[in-house]
Amino acid sequence: AAGFESDMTENLLRKIFAENAASNPAVCFLAFGEDRTAPDNAFIARFAGGRPAVRSFQSSVTPPIGKILETASGKPGLLIQIVSFKELISGTFDVVVAFSNLPPGHDRFIYRIANIGGDWIIRSRKPA
């Protein structure tokens, strides 16, 4: 997970949380890679005190009702999976992100992000 736990990923996730604010998930669960590797506690701590609450996907269960629920509270949440990233040129990446609230086959997007003056900006978002 260490390769995913960067300032770039943190900033991308904060922008994704803002995009999803309208759906108002109480909690977002994070996973990295195709195999859903759990982020470490230090990375999760970067989001402490924010809204939505951020947890490792290991703090969730997926009962057969099709929702992701927080194990401790039973609150429904959203799983955001940073699947992969590829550097295109220095400071510009394509990041594949999957969302649990979308139907299979329509649940992945490619975010093109760039570091401009020290700030990570989303340049585009398109279906994967």
Side-chain angles (χ1 to χ4, degrees), residues 9-88:
T9 303
E10 176 187 355
N11 281 281
L12 175 60
L13 286 166
R14 290 187 187 282
K15 288 172 175 49
I16 289 172
F17 298 154
E19 282 180 356
N20 287 287
S23 65
N24 199 25
V27 61
C28 284
F29 304 103
L30 300 182
F32 298 135
E34 286 289 351
D35 296 329
R36 291 187 178 172
T37 300
D40 69 25
N41 292 335
F43 187 75
I44 294 292
R46 293 183 183 207
F47 304 97
R51 178 98 175 104
V54 178
R55 310 274 188 265
S56 166
F57 85 97
Q58 291 178 323
S59 299
S60 69
V61 295
T62 309
I65 60 172
K67 292 188 177 186
I68 306 256
L69 303 175
E70 184 176 30
T71 306
S73 69
K75 291 179 184 175
L78 170 66
L79 172 63
I80 299 173
Q81 182 178 357
I82 306 295
V83 178
S84 64
F85 56 90
K86 177 182 176 182
E87 188 169 25
L88 303 174

Side-chain angles (χ1 to χ4, degrees), residues 60-122:
S60 69
V61 295
T62 309
I65 60 172
K67 292 188 177 186
I68 306 256
L69 303 175
E70 184 176 30
T71 306
S73 69
K75 291 179 184 175
L78 170 66
L79 172 63
I80 299 173
Q81 182 178 357
I82 306 295
V83 178
S84 64
F85 56 90
K86 177 182 176 182
E87 188 169 25
L88 303 174
I89 59 172
S90 182
T92 301
F93 293 81
D94 275 353
V95 183
V96 177
V97 182
F99 297 91
S100 66
N101 63 338
L102 299 173
H106 301 283
D107 60 343
R108 291 182 179 214
F109 291 86
I110 299 171
Y111 285 82
R112 178 154 298 163
I113 62 173
N115 188 328
I116 300 177
D119 189 24
W120 289 97
I121 305 295
I122 296 175

